[in-house]
């Protein structure tokens, strides 16, 4: 009788993200992934809090819904979103760094994934409202009403992501994704596609298109105004200021979240998200976790200079009226 000396390779069953090892542990990249993420999140949190503090030092808090401009309130909202986003991710990364294990129990990992999705989508939806609002103002001379106490945009930005994230949690879409807890590396691809990849890609493309159309419209109006009046009126200046504000928001959104869209599309062609190249995840670690820094730049570059420039434009308009 012939003996069978062949050996069988054991089959490793992968049921969920907990069966996927942490990225970086096997190739020495673990600390190069986790440490930069923690540093970026810490800086982002500090910058987001600085933006909120400077905003309230510049204007009385009691006048938040009466004297503050819509743009100034939006900066505060986005900074609050980013602060909460940074805190939740910072806790997740610190847990992974210390234990070198995925977050347990599973409910904790699900909570991290839900909170991350909530505040990520919240920022994206809020910036999209900014782009739509300015487009409507330029083309239809209409401001979109946010309702009393901005309840419209807050319900849109907080409520819609929460409902989506809650459904994803009930369907067990959240879990370890190889680095931290978000959409499960094995079972969460549908949730990531529906809640992140498709909305993010669509919104980014829509924002860029809206900005291009708005910029063209503004340039046409500014050229026409100068040809007729010879000087830039305060109305024309407001148009330019609106375009500049929107471009900052769009640029910030694009830089912060573009690699999320790239990785989301990549995930459509692999078996699990752990197969995404480490370098792409490194870009995500740095850029998506630096939102507070980008928000502070927008605040300092736009809103801190807005009032002095507005006074100059108003003075120019007054001089022209009296001449």
């Amino acid at each position: 009788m012939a003996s069978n000396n062949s050996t069988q390779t054991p089959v490793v069953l992968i049921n969920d993200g907990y069966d996927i090892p942490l990225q970086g542990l096997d190739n020495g990249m673990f600390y190069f992934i986790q440490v930069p993420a923690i540093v970026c999140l810490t800086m982002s949190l500090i910058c987001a809090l600085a933006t909120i503090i400077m905003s309230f030092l510049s204007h009385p808090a009691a006048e938040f819904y009466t004297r503050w401009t819509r743009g100034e309130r939006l900066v505060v909202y986005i900074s609050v979103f980013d602060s909460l986003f940074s805190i939740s991710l910072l806790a997740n990364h610190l847990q992974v760094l210390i234990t070198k294990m995925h977050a347990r129990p599973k409910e904790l990992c699900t909570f991290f994934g839900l909170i991350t999705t909530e505040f990520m989508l919240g920022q994206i939806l809020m910036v999209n409202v900014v782009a739509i609002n300015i487009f409507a103002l330029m083309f239809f001379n209409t401001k979109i009403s946010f309702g009393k106490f901005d309840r419209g945009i807050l319900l849109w930005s907080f409520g819609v992501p929460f409902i989506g994230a809650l459904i994803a949690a009930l369907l067990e879409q959240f879990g370890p994704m190889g680095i931290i807890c978000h959409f499960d590396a094995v079972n969460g691809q549908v949730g990531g596609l529906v809640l992140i990849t498709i909305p993010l890609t669509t919104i980014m493309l829509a924002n860029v298109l809206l900005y291009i159309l708005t910029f063209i419209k503004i340039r046409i109006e500014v050229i026409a105004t100068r040809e007729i009046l010879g000087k830039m009126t305060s109305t024309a200046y407001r148009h330019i200021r609106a375009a500049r504000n929107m471009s900052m928001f769009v640029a910030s959104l694009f830089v912060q979240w573009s690699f999320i869209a790239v990785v989301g599309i990549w995930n459509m062609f692999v078996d699990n998200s752990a197969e995404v190249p480490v370098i792409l995840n490194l870009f995500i670690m740095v850029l998506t976790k630096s939102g507070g820094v980008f928000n502070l730049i927008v605040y300092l570059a736009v809103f801190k200079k807005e009032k002095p420039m507005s006074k100059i434009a108003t003075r120019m308009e007054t001089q022209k009226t009296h001449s």
Side-chain angles (χ1 to χ4, degrees):
M1 177 181 294
S3 61
N4 185 7
N5 294 325
S6 61
T7 60
Q8 295 182 348
T9 302
V11 178
V12 179
L13 297 178
I14 299 178
N15 298 314
D16 56 29
Y18 281 103
D19 296 323
I20 303 293
L22 281 170
Q23 284 194 14
L25 282 179
D26 58 344
N27 57 12
M29 291 292 293
F30 178 77
Y31 290 104
F32 289 98
I33 294 174
Q34 298 296 335
V35 173
I38 292 172
V39 172
C40 289
L41 284 168
T42 302
M43 292 179 58
S44 181
L45 179 60
I46 292 172
C47 289
L49 293 176
T51 302
I52 296 171
I53 293 171
M54 286 192 294
S55 296
F56 281 99
L57 288 177
S58 301
H59 309 280
E63 299 176 350
F64 187 75
Y65 290 107
T66 56
R67 301 293 297 275
W68 289 45
T69 67
R70 179 175 290 185
E72 290 165 341
R73 296 199 302 273
L74 286 172
V75 167
V76 172
Y77 294 147
I78 294 174
S79 296
V80 169
F81 269 67
D82 199 80
S83 296
L84 297 173
F85 175 79
S86 298
I87 291 172
S88 63
L89 277 185
L90 190 59
N92 195 178
H93 277 287
L94 286 173
Q95 177 271 325
V96 171
L97 181 68
I98 294 171
T99 65
K100 293 184 175 62
M101 296 175 58
H102 296 301
R104 292 184 183 275
K106 186 176 181 179
E107 290 74 16
L108 176 61
C109 197
T110 298
F111 175 76
F112 281 137
L114 188 149
I115 294 298
T116 299
T117 302
E118 162 75 8
F119 294 114
M120 179 189 298
L121 280 178
Q123 294 180 68
I124 294 168
L125 290 176
M126 187 165 288
V127 173
N128 182 239
V129 170
V130 174
I132 294 174
N133 181 64
I134 295 180
F135 176 82
L137 177 64
M138 297 300 104
F139 278 83
F140 306 107
N141 198 28
T142 301
K143 281 188 177 182
I144 299 175
S145 175
F146 292 165
K148 188 176 182 181
F149 304 124
D150 295 332
R151 62 174 177 266
I153 191 173
L154 293 178
L155 284 174
W156 170 252
S157 301
F158 274 99
V160 173
F162 179 76
I163 293 173
L166 182 61
I167 293 174
L170 294 175
L171 295 176
E172 299 185 348
Q173 292 290 293
F174 295 123
M177 58 173 294
I179 297 178
I180 55 171
C181 292
H182 197 199
F183 289 100
D184 191 279
V186 178
N187 303 318
Q189 292 191 17
V190 173
L193 180 66
V194 173
L195 288 179
I196 299 298
T197 304
I198 293 177
L200 178 57
T201 304
T202 303
I203 288 173
M204 288 179 63
L205 292 175
N207 285 356
V208 171
L209 177 61
L210 289 174
Y211 173 69
I212 292 174
L213 294 175
T214 303
F215 181 79
I216 293 173
K217 175 71 171 178
I218 289 172
R219 291 299 301 170
I220 292 173
E221 290 188 2
V222 169
I223 293 173
T225 301
R226 284 177 172 171
E227 288 179 351
I228 296 173
L229 301 177
K231 292 183 179 181
M232 187 185 298
T233 64
S234 60
T235 300
Y237 169 75
R238 284 196 297 270
H239 288 176
I240 293 176
R241 185 181 64 191
R244 180 196 60 195
N245 293 357
M246 181 171 146
S247 67
M248 295 290 286
F249 279 114
V250 172
S252 175
L253 176 74
F254 185 83
V255 172
Q256 185 177 2
W257 303 110
S258 57
F259 277 92
I260 286 283
V262 172
V263 170
I265 295 173
W266 193 297
N267 279 329
M268 297 170 61
F269 302 97
V270 298
D271 293 331
N272 63 73
S273 60
E275 296 180 29
V276 176
V278 174
I279 188 64
L280 286 181
N281 285 318
L282 185 59
F283 275 111
I284 290 178
M285 289 298 102
V286 174
L287 295 178
T288 61
K289 295 166 177 58
S290 300
V293 178
F294 300 142
N295 294 337
L296 180 59
I297 292 173
V298 171
Y299 176 78
L300 295 176
V302 177
F303 296 101
K304 289 295 285 184
K305 297 179 180 179
E306 189 169 272
K307 285 191 174 182
M309 292 302 294
S310 296
K311 292 179 180 178
I312 293 173
T314 303
R315 190 180 304 117
M316 290 172 60
E317 179 72 8
T318 303
Q319 291 174 353
K320 184 185 182 306
T321 302
H322 288 67
S323 61

